Amino acid sequence: MTAALRFGPRILERAETLGAITERPGMVARSYLTPQHREAGDHIRAWMREAGMEADYDALGNVVGRYPGSRPGAPAILTGSHMDSVIDAGKYDGLFGILAPIACVEELHRAGRRLPFPIEVIAFGDEEGVRFGTSMMGSKALTGKLDASTFAIRDAAGVPLGDALRAFGGDPEAVPSLKRDPKHVRVFVETHIEQGPVLLDEGFAVGVVTAIAGSTRVRVALRGEEGHAGTVPMALRHDALTAAAEMVLEVERHCRASAGRLVGTVGKLAVAAGGAINVIPGRVEFTIDVRSGDDAARRAAAGAIEATCRAIAGARGVAIEWNLLQEMAAAQCDAAERAALARAIEAHGLPVRHLPSGAGHDTMQFAGLAPIAMMFVRCGNGGVSHSPRETLSAEDADIATEVLLRYLEELA
Ligand code: HGY
Ligand code: MN
Ligand code: MN
């Protein structure tokens, strides 16, 4: 019965609207500084303004909405998530963490209420890092971690990030001014679908995040010897693809053997120029993503995997280039904010489940600048995410938004 739900159904409708904005017909794909980024951002900015917020794009293409507080100078509550998606994504990853706080502010505005502190809702233009390989640029910029060299990174079409940002209407030179002053930030809190099965399997609508796993992202480039598939004897080959295959399985083997402390993924692999059925692959690139809640274990794993890949390359007479794309340290959520979220969940009459996040989130960038907190909402279909099979029910979306509103009011 959704009639009694004051937030959930409309949030899902808005997620549908944004989900229809895609670079690839037939699937959800929305990357940074594209016309789709602009189209989705314009909707989000309009919804923020309707909710009584001053809202606009910042120099990096994030859409930032601000709802003033009643006490001048009080540090702000920062909340939000990302509006970009992976390729062939679902409709709720990131977006829920933008739409839920907008719904909370809209409710305050409708009732003519202001909390003692300002509320800033931030829709980050880049979190997934699909277009430029480096991720979370929005939250890195707001915490002063975005290095100026980032603007030289080129996308697959060779377009430098700085050029794409200027073409979008952004301003690389103004990006350093986006850094938030810790004195003006009370907490960064993000609501996000769990992207896993725990809440679903154990029957919780929402959960409180304890910590966010750290990650290492690498691009490996192999240079073997291309050749004729019919004439080169097997013993004389330096096949870059079979070398890559052995390395890919090593990532899996190493992380499987870690008793759950590590996860490792090779999500992209390409043979130069696409390869051909009758050519021995000479050049291959692939990516590695290793995660853990334990930074030392993750770093040790990345080192061990690199050493094994180099040994495989040496044994096969293939040259290897190991490019560290980015490293992110695991982030611990603030104990007091976790307790505040737990109280809001209990006040809503629900049991509380604390759980870690294997996925990375913008929240982790705010560790060190302000206390950080995350609330997960249950997603269906076995918790699948980064897939069109991602689901979120109107009831759960409603519960999570009601709890977020209680948390904000409790902060007051
Ligand atoms: O990769 C992640 O963990 C997140 O979806 N960006
Ligand atoms: Mn994601
Ligand atoms: Mn996400």
Side-chain angles (χ1 to χ4, degrees):
M1 199 333 222
T2 59
L5 307 179
R6 54 181 181 161
F7 300 126
R10 191 134 74 102
I11 284 172
L12 294 196
E13 279 165 32
R14 289 179 165 181
E16 285 300 316
T17 301
L18 298 177
I21 301 168
T22 181
E23 294 146 25
R24 300 195 194 189
M27 64 173 76
V28 174
R30 218 174 23 259
S31 48
Y32 181 46
L33 302 178
T34 58
Q36 291 70 26
H37 171 180
R38 167 70 63 190
E39 194 182 342
D42 287 357
H43 280 289
I44 290 168
R45 182 177 61 178
W47 293 330
M48 287 175 170
R49 289 175 173 171
E50 281 164 32
M53 305 172 98
E54 302 131 33
D56 216 341
Y57 292 86
D58 69 13
L60 202 61
N62 305 309
V63 179
V64 182
R66 190 173 170 86
Y67 188 66
S70 58
R71 195 186 318 144
I77 302 293
L78 264 52
T79 182
S81 193
H82 58 97
M83 63 174 144
D84 66 327
S85 78
V86 293
I87 306 294
D88 202 8
K91 296 176 185 153
Y92 311 106
D93 176 5
L95 296 179
F96 181 67
I98 296 164
L99 298 173
I102 291 175
C104 292
V105 171
E106 193 161 27
E107 178 58 24
L108 293 169
H109 180 58
R110 190 193 57 72
R113 292 174 56 204
R114 289 202 182 286
L115 299 183
F117 41 74
I119 300 172
E120 270 193 43
V121 181
I122 305 153
F124 294 107
D126 168 81
E127 187 269 354
E128 301 286 6
V130 167
R131 181 172 175 187
F132 292 96
T134 180
S135 67
M136 300 193 192
M137 285 193 263
S139 41
K140 282 176 185 168
L142 269 63
T143 52
K145 295 176 194 150
L146 192 66
D147 189 81
S149 63
T150 309
F151 296 114
I153 295 175
R154 292 170 182 273
D155 67 5
V159 178
L161 168 51
D163 294 7
L165 181 56
R166 274 183 283 273
F168 186 82
D171 177 6
E173 282 66 47
V175 168
S177 68
L178 299 183
K179 182 181 180 321
R180 291 296 194 269
D181 180 341
K183 287 198 306 301
H184 299 153
V185 181
R186 162 85 178 272
V187 63
F188 184 91
V189 57
E190 181 173 4
T191 45
H192 201 288
I193 54 171
E194 180 200 337
Q195 301 182 297
V198 171
L199 297 178
L200 180 67
D201 291 352
E202 297 183 15
F204 293 88
V206 291
V208 179
V209 175
T210 55
I212 304 168
S215 65
T216 296
R217 287 185 172 193
V218 177
R219 187 184 59 246
V220 180
L222 301 180
R223 185 82 186 84
E225 273 176 32
E226 68 286 344
H228 193 296
T231 59
V232 180
M234 295 307 285
L236 299 184
R237 295 185 176 202
H238 301 286
D239 182 330
L241 185 49
T242 49
E246 199 176 341
M247 295 173 191
V248 170
L249 289 176
E250 172 55 18
V251 172
E252 181 186 59
R253 187 204 61 74
H254 189 95
C255 294
R256 272 217 171 124
S258 72
R261 277 185 320 142
L262 297 163
V263 287
T265 311
V266 173
K268 291 175 78 171
L269 184 146
V271 178
I277 190 166
N278 57 353
V279 176
I280 303 165
R283 279 182 297 124
V284 168
E285 288 202 3
F286 64 90
T287 61
I288 299 175
D289 174 326
V290 176
R291 317 253 181 132
S292 175
D294 172 343
D295 287 339
R298 171 175 52 80
R299 290 200 185 101
I305 291 168
E306 178 181 358
T308 307
C309 287
R310 290 186 183 285
I312 292 167
R316 289 170 168 271
V318 168
I320 179 171
E321 217 185 272
W322 182 272
N323 304 293
L324 177 64
L325 292 178
Q326 76 177 19
E327 258 208 289
M328 283 185 193
Q332 302 302 317
C333 293
D334 181 85
E337 298 306 333
R338 282 176 52 188
L341 278 170
R343 284 195 301 274
I345 293 170
E346 283 160 348
H348 202 66
L350 292 171
V352 182
R353 174 67 154 86
H354 295 262
L355 71 164
S357 173
H361 298 287
D362 287 304
T363 301
M364 68 203 297
Q365 295 304 328
F366 286 86
L369 183 121
I372 60 171
M374 276 199 85
M375 177 168 59
F376 276 165
V377 63
R378 171 171 49 194
C379 39
N381 251 350
V384 66
S385 181
H386 282 189
S387 157
R389 292 181 298 117
E390 194 176 270
T391 62
L392 171 64
S393 73
E395 291 76 12
D396 287 346
D398 198 72
I399 289 169
T401 308
E402 292 283 3
V403 169
L404 179 62
L405 183 54
R406 276 182 194 273
Y407 164 81
L408 294 172
E409 288 171 331
E410 215 234 28
L411 285 179

